[in-house]
Amino acid sequence: MARAYRLRWLEIPAVLLLMILAALLRWNWDYRSASVDEASNLFNGWLLLQGQEVHTMAYQPTWPYMGMLPLGWVDMWGGLIAARALNSVWGVLSVSLVALTARSAFGVPAGILAGVVLAVYGPAIHLSTFASHDSLAIFLLCLALYLWTIATLRGRAWLLPLGSLAMVGAVLTNYILLMVAAGTLVYLTLTGAIAQIRRGKTPDDTWPHPMRWGWLVSLWLPFLLLIGYGWYYRVELSQLWQAHVLTSHLPQPLITWDFVKPLRDYLWAPFLAGLLAFDRSGRRLFAGWLWLLAFILIAHQWYSQDATRLVPQTVYIMVSLAILAGGGLVTLARGWEAKAARRAAVAAALMLSIALLSHLGLEGQKVLPGLRSYWPETSPLMAFLRNRVSDGDVILMEEGAVGRYYLIAHGTPGHIPAQVWDTWYYQDETGRGSDAALYERAIAQQRFDYVVFDYNVTKELDQAVLPALRRGYRLIATFPTQTGNSQPIEVFEKIE
């Protein structure tokens, strides 16, 4: 009891230091102008606040009112920095929830280790300072895991439906988590039912507190909300399903090196440490649950082969692996009868913990600059266009969402364009899409007052329409992208 009392007093400052560490690593919010993904989220949030409908559900796996509206509201109040700061809040809270989950399952030292793993993980830091829906989705996922863990390991069954409600919010914020929710429902129901049937003779590998049948049913009830949601948005969700699932093709060969190598580089260390969690008596089914969630997300990433989602996906996976790694390293020091063996095990666990955290921390700081610099720096460009553009102008711009965000949502009176078309999509009475002939015709008719190219995303299209552009437009400014792309951003104005 004296040891537990001392540990409790050490836990409070340790958790405070953990949250301070997580906050300090997520403090930089003005490292670069908005990326196209951030600008799209923030502009669509602004549209929702204006009472306008956004048409994103057919291609973006998030409910706009969860994934975009909170960011848009904070952005309207404090701009891009405030939106990124909000995600930093979600990131710090996620770190604390992971620590609390590991603490509940494996003890205080495991909780601190798990929290530090997520706190120093480079992609997690990046998502916490990036205005996307992922940070909120990860927080809600962590909250659901924590509530479910307390319910199953501490006998507080009334938390089961609350965990499910948090998971419903996570699914609405990122549809990918529907597979995680389904896996959890099946796993917790089966193991809970088995424990209920074998009540009184349950081995130490199963849940310590068998759930009654009524509570197992309550685990499912909040997900009825998703059925209503799916029915209401059935058309949009059907389009999303066709675009992202039915038209996807399995890679050949089935397991590709391009898929394995990035996941290995990001996750190998906590993956190996997490395997040790299976050695903890009474927590094997708990560890199996977390491994199931991790492999569900890995399987999804393998099926989609979506390189743009690889980095965010590793953070979702790391939520489970961080808890397992903390529990595994602490388990390594337990169960030794001989004093000498116990001391050696504690020393080994301590050294491995330091090695793991040092590796993740150093690698995280190494990859972070690259994660924050792959898109163009557009602050000088937007400052130039704000003074140059007049009300009612029409602009064609590569990654036009950036222009809509800075020039329309945050435009200055007298300098707000009527439309900023993206080179990915244009529409007029002659057609719609991203065909070069469509743009050449619109450029020849001088339908755009300004054209902005950085030759990065739609390079072939840009090069195809340049001859027509040079006949009716003149180059008025160039700006460096400040990326690995040596091509500058070029601004063309139509010749009157």
Side-chain angles (χ1 to χ4, degrees), residues 12-256:
I12 296 174
V15 171
L16 290 176
L17 288 175
L18 171 62
M19 296 186 70
I20 291 172
L21 172 66
L24 289 176
L25 291 173
R26 290 156 175 76
W27 191 260
N28 187 1
W29 304 318
D30 60 352
Y31 53 87
R32 206 172 191 83
S33 60
S35 75
V36 65
D37 293 329
E38 291 180 299
S40 179
N41 285 327
L42 297 173
F43 181 72
N44 285 322
W46 176 82
L47 287 178
L48 290 173
L49 290 169
Q50 305 302 310
Q52 301 183 43
E53 186 179 2
V54 299
H55 303 280
T56 63
M57 293 186 63
Y59 62 87
Q60 195 160 355
T62 181
W63 187 35
Y65 289 93
M66 289 290 290
M68 299 174 182
L69 187 60
L71 289 172
W73 184 83
V74 174
D75 171 72
M76 189 171 65
W77 167 71
L80 176 65
I81 290 178
R84 288 173 173 170
L86 174 64
N87 275 3
S88 291
V89 172
W90 300 135
V92 173
L93 292 176
S94 298
V95 168
S96 64
L97 286 170
V98 163
L100 290 172
T101 303
R103 171 191 178 277
S104 300
F106 299 104
V108 174
I112 300 301
L113 279 174
V116 176
V117 166
L118 190 62
V120 303
Y121 185 55
I125 297 172
H126 169 61
L127 285 192
S128 296
T129 57
F130 191 77
S132 75
H133 62 275
D134 288 300
S135 195
L136 176 58
I138 289 169
F139 163 73
L140 292 171
L141 171 64
C142 293
L143 179 60
L145 295 185
Y146 173 66
L147 293 173
W148 280 332
T149 298
I150 295 296
T152 53
L153 297 186
R154 304 296 180 187
R156 300 173 184 174
W158 57 274
L159 291 175
L160 282 176
L162 294 181
S164 297
L165 193 60
M167 196 66 201
V168 168
V171 171
L172 293 179
T173 310
N174 188 344
Y175 298 158
I176 293 172
L177 294 177
L178 180 60
M179 297 179 297
V180 173
T184 293
L185 288 175
V186 173
Y187 193 85
L188 293 185
T189 301
L190 288 178
T191 54
I194 292 172
Q196 179 70 18
I197 293 171
R198 303 183 62 178
R199 193 165 189 162
K201 53 182 179 179
T202 304
D204 62 359
D205 279 8
T206 58
W207 304 107
H209 296 277
M211 298 293 110
R212 295 186 178 182
W213 299 114
W215 288 119
L216 290 177
V217 172
S218 74
L219 177 70
W220 290 75
L221 290 179
F223 289 94
L224 294 176
L225 295 171
L226 292 181
I227 297 177
Y229 174 83
W231 175 256
Y232 186 81
Y233 291 108
R234 58 190 180 278
V235 175
E236 294 86 349
L237 295 176
S238 175
Q239 293 172 345
L240 183 69
W241 175 268
Q242 293 175 3
H244 287 267
V245 179
L246 297 183
T247 59
S248 300
H249 300 282
L250 289 174
Q252 296 293 333
L254 292 180
I255 300 297
T256 65

Side-chain angles (χ1 to χ4, degrees), residues 329-330 332-334 336 339-355:
L329 290 170
V330 170
L332 182 63
R334 292 174 56 92
W336 300 90
K339 183 179 292 186
R342 186 163 58 250
R343 288 177 178 174
V346 170
L350 182 60
M351 292 178 61
L352 288 175
S353 299
I354 294 173

Side-chain angles (χ1 to χ4, degrees), residues 155-477:
R156 300 173 184 174
W158 57 274
L159 291 175
L160 282 176
L162 294 181
S164 297
L165 193 60
M167 196 66 201
V168 168
V171 171
L172 293 179
T173 310
N174 188 344
Y175 298 158
I176 293 172
L177 294 177
L178 180 60
M179 297 179 297
V180 173
T184 293
L185 288 175
V186 173
Y187 193 85
L188 293 185
T189 301
L190 288 178
T191 54
I194 292 172
Q196 179 70 18
I197 293 171
R198 303 183 62 178
R199 193 165 189 162
K201 53 182 179 179
T202 304
D204 62 359
D205 279 8
T206 58
W207 304 107
H209 296 277
M211 298 293 110
R212 295 186 178 182
W213 299 114
W215 288 119
L216 290 177
V217 172
S218 74
L219 177 70
W220 290 75
L221 290 179
F223 289 94
L224 294 176
L225 295 171
L226 292 181
I227 297 177
Y229 174 83
W231 175 256
Y232 186 81
Y233 291 108
R234 58 190 180 278
V235 175
E236 294 86 349
L237 295 176
S238 175
Q239 293 172 345
L240 183 69
W241 175 268
Q242 293 175 3
H244 287 267
V245 179
L246 297 183
T247 59
S248 300
H249 300 282
L250 289 174
Q252 296 293 333
L254 292 180
I255 300 297
T256 65
W257 179 245
D258 290 338
F259 164 75
V260 173
K261 185 178 181 299
L263 285 178
R264 180 206 66 183
D265 293 343
Y266 278 114
L267 302 174
W268 71 269
F271 186 94
L272 293 178
L275 292 174
L276 299 171
F278 276 120
D279 194 42
R280 182 69 170 268
S281 178
R283 292 294 182 265
R284 293 188 180 98
L285 282 181
F286 176 79
W289 171 43
L290 294 181
W291 278 113
L292 173 65
L293 303 187
F295 280 112
I296 285 174
L297 292 169
I298 291 173
H300 175 270
Q301 182 63 29
W302 163 74
Y303 179 81
S304 67
Q305 294 286 295
D306 186 357
T308 62
R309 291 293 305 170
L310 175 64
V311 170
Q313 194 81 336
T314 64
V315 184
Y316 290 92
I317 298 170
M318 183 60 80
V319 169
S320 293
L321 292 186
I323 300 170
L324 290 166
L329 290 170
V330 170
T331 299
L332 182 63
R334 292 174 56 92
W336 300 90
E337 295 182 2
K339 183 179 292 186
R342 186 163 58 250
R343 288 177 178 174
V346 170
L350 182 60
M351 292 178 61
L352 288 175
S353 299
I354 294 173
L356 172 64
L357 298 179
S358 299
H359 165 73
L360 290 176
L362 293 174
E363 285 298 312
Q365 293 304 305
K366 186 186 299 183
V367 303
L368 199 55
L371 296 176
R372 289 175 168 174
S373 63
Y374 62 84
W375 64 88
E377 170 59 65
T378 58
S379 295
L381 168 66
M382 292 304 151
F384 173 80
L385 290 176
R386 273 202 180 104
N387 294 324
R388 189 92 180 189
V389 170
S390 301
D391 285 348
D393 283 349
V394 178
I395 301 172
L396 174 65
M397 180 178 177
E398 193 164 21
E399 299 188 337
V402 177
R404 289 191 289 271
Y405 169 66
Y406 282 109
L407 301 177
I408 298 179
H410 286 280
T412 56
H415 301 278
I416 300 177
Q419 180 62 273
V420 179
W421 289 106
D422 199 304
T423 50
W424 281 110
Y425 181 84
Y426 171 69
Q427 178 178 1
D428 61 15
E429 69 278 3
T430 62
R432 62 182 180 180
S434 59
D435 183 63
L438 179 64
Y439 287 107
E440 289 174 349
R441 184 166 53 248
I443 288 172
Q445 297 172 356
Q446 291 191 319
R447 295 199 171 199
F448 307 116
D449 297 282
Y450 296 91
V451 177
V452 182
F453 285 158
D454 66 14
Y455 311 100
N456 180 33
V457 179
T458 54
K459 182 178 181 179
E460 294 181 359
L461 174 65
D462 301 346
Q463 297 294 338
V465 301
L466 273 177
L469 182 65
R470 287 167 178 155
R471 287 193 292 269
Y473 291 76
R474 64 174 181 271
L475 179 66
I476 59 173

